[in-house]
Amino acid sequence: MLSLRRLSRHVLVTSAVCVASGAALAALPSAAHADTGPRRMPPAPFSSLDGRGPDRLTISVADAGNGSDGTYELECGPAGGTHPDPGAACGRLEEIGATGADPFAPVPAGAQCTMQYGGDATARITGTWHGRAVDASYKVSDGCQIARWRQLDPVLPATAP
């Protein structure tokens, strides 16, 4: 059986370790910085399985130059809507999301992009995906924007050269 003196010493040592550990953790720099690149999202399961209901996106495309201009509805979980290929589009969004990346994130501030012009195509995606609001705009005005657009193929259509 522990004596009162030994028990008191044990409590003091344990308390000191807890305080020191908390101080050490508080002194660590935060891992989240706005300038560290693309935003990451926590992994999320398919929306139809987590009780949020299907993901619903409205995709508006203009000046793509290949007959795909217009407004499309895309539902995922299960795939559907007026999008030309909802299964492939939902699959691509899930593929990107499974890596932890946000498929709708803008080009990071300060990114160095090649100066190339990809045309007049623009697109806007609004709605909800994995339970959060989406309002993203796309264009093909430089290398970073072109890559961002192409990353979402087939959610966004290929643009004419």
Side-chain angles (χ1 to χ4, degrees), residues 18 25 33 35-36 40 83 94 113 119 126 136 145-146 158-159:
C18 290
L25 288 174
H33 297 285
D35 60 347
T36 58
R40 298 287 180 193
H83 188 279
E94 289 300 332
C113 306
T126 59
Q145 296 291 349
I146 292 169
T159 59

Side-chain angles (χ1 to χ4, degrees), residues 28-128:
L28 291 175
S30 173
H33 297 285
D35 60 347
T36 58
R39 291 180 290 173
R40 298 287 180 193
M41 294 179 45
F46 285 100
S47 60
S48 63
L49 303 177
D50 64 11
R52 287 192 305 248
D55 298 322
R56 288 189 174 89
L57 299 170
T58 300
I59 302 162
S60 299
V61 179
D63 301 319
N66 57 9
S68 59
D69 291 358
T71 299
Y72 306 97
E73 299 297 323
L74 177 63
E75 293 184 10
C76 299
T82 59
H83 188 279
D85 192 350
C90 292
R92 180 64 182 143
L93 290 173
E94 289 300 332
E95 181 182 346
I96 295 169
T99 68
D102 178 355
F104 309 106
V107 172
Q112 295 188 12
C113 306
T114 58
M115 295 186 68
Q116 64 190 85
Y117 182 68
D120 295 326
T122 60
R124 184 168 181 204
I125 301 176
T126 59
T128 57

Side-chain angles (χ1 to χ4, degrees), residues 135-153:
D135 188 352
S137 296
Y138 298 82
K139 55 188 175 180
V140 288
S141 58
D142 64 41
C144 294
Q145 296 291 349
I146 292 169
R148 183 173 173 250
W149 182 296
R150 289 181 180 166
Q151 156 185 286
L152 286 184
D153 180 33

